[in-house]
Amino acid sequence: MTVEDSRKILPPEFYPSWVVFTQRQKLTWLNVQLKKIWPYVNEAASELIRSSAEPILEQYRSVILSSLKFSKLTLGTVAPQFTGVSIIEGDAKGITMELEMEWDGNPSIILDVKTRVGIGLPIQVKNIGFTGVFRLIFKPLVDEFLYFGVVCYSLMEKVGTLYLCHSLNLLV
């Protein structure tokens, strides 16, 4: 029985409160697997963030500071949860997926700020929460293994009814 069949049988005003028709599919299976591999993802992602962020921090370091380095950077033990996925219909030359994501993490991030006069200032970030939409675009589709040429990913932030898009292309 499809959603349309259900709507023909019973009008929406008679649906019980627990009945929800959504375009997004649940991802319980993905969350179970992500929880298992999270320690490894955490280690790799933490190192990637450290190696990417430290040169940028160094580039924008003030002259009164002698260094900006992470003494600790871990995303913690809590894996993000994907609450839904949908495929955006459209261009036949690519596939666009949107994954709803929630993360109420327990990271431990300590940035050591050292001044030229020898004073050290540790700055710590503890609890971070994130809710958003993670968009993946696989385009162009090709006839060789992996079957796509580039993956573009974005984090979509909702600001009123406007979505801001931050993206990065990965060549596969």
Side-chain angles (χ1 to χ4, degrees):
M1 193 163 143
T2 67
V3 172
E4 289 307 315
D5 293 336
S6 300
R7 288 183 176 149
K8 289 176 189 173
I9 294 171
L10 189 64
E13 60 268 14
F14 296 111
Y15 293 161
S17 61
W18 49 266
V19 173
V20 177
F21 294 115
T22 180
Q23 296 295 335
R24 300 202 183 273
Q25 296 177 11
K26 303 244 184 245
L27 291 170
T28 306
W29 62 271
L30 179 61
N31 293 325
V32 168
Q33 301 311 314
L34 184 58
K35 190 173 180 179
K36 290 178 188 176
I37 65 168
W38 182 248
Y40 309 104
V41 171
N42 172 33
E43 185 178 336
S46 296
E47 186 53 40
L48 178 65
I49 292 167
R50 177 191 304 265
S51 64
S52 299
E54 281 184 347
I56 295 169
L57 289 171
E58 191 62 30
Q59 181 180 356
Y60 292 104
R61 178 179 51 86
S62 171
V63 293
I64 63 169
L65 302 177
S66 62
S67 74
L68 290 168
K69 301 260 186 227
F70 291 104
S71 63
K72 185 171 188 179
L73 196 152
T74 177
L75 297 178
T77 57
V78 178
Q81 297 289 299
F82 292 98
T83 56
V85 62
S86 63
I87 306 296
I88 309 244
E89 299 293 330
D91 191 358
K93 297 177 183 174
I95 298 170
T96 302
M97 293 174 57
E98 286 190 346
L99 297 153
E100 288 179 347
M101 183 178 144
E102 293 178 0
W103 184 49
D104 192 14
N106 61 346
S108 182
I109 302 168
I110 301 174
L111 179 66
D112 278 339
V113 179
K114 298 217 186 321
T115 65
R116 296 226 183 258
V117 294
I119 299 172
L121 304 167
I123 299 172
Q124 184 172 19
V125 176
K126 285 190 172 181
N127 301 315
I128 294 177
F130 173 80
T131 301
V133 178
F134 188 66
R135 179 179 279 180
L136 294 169
I137 301 171
F138 302 93
K139 189 175 183 177
L141 300 178
V142 295
D143 294 334
E144 298 171 16
F145 180 65
L146 286 186
Y147 306 108
F148 54 89
V150 173
V151 175
C152 176
Y153 68 91
S154 322
L155 291 175
M156 308 293 288
E157 298 176 49
K158 187 172 181 183
V159 181
T161 56
L162 172 69
Y163 283 89
L164 302 175
C165 180
H166 308 284
S167 66
L168 172 68
N169 290 334
L170 298 176
L171 295 176
V172 180

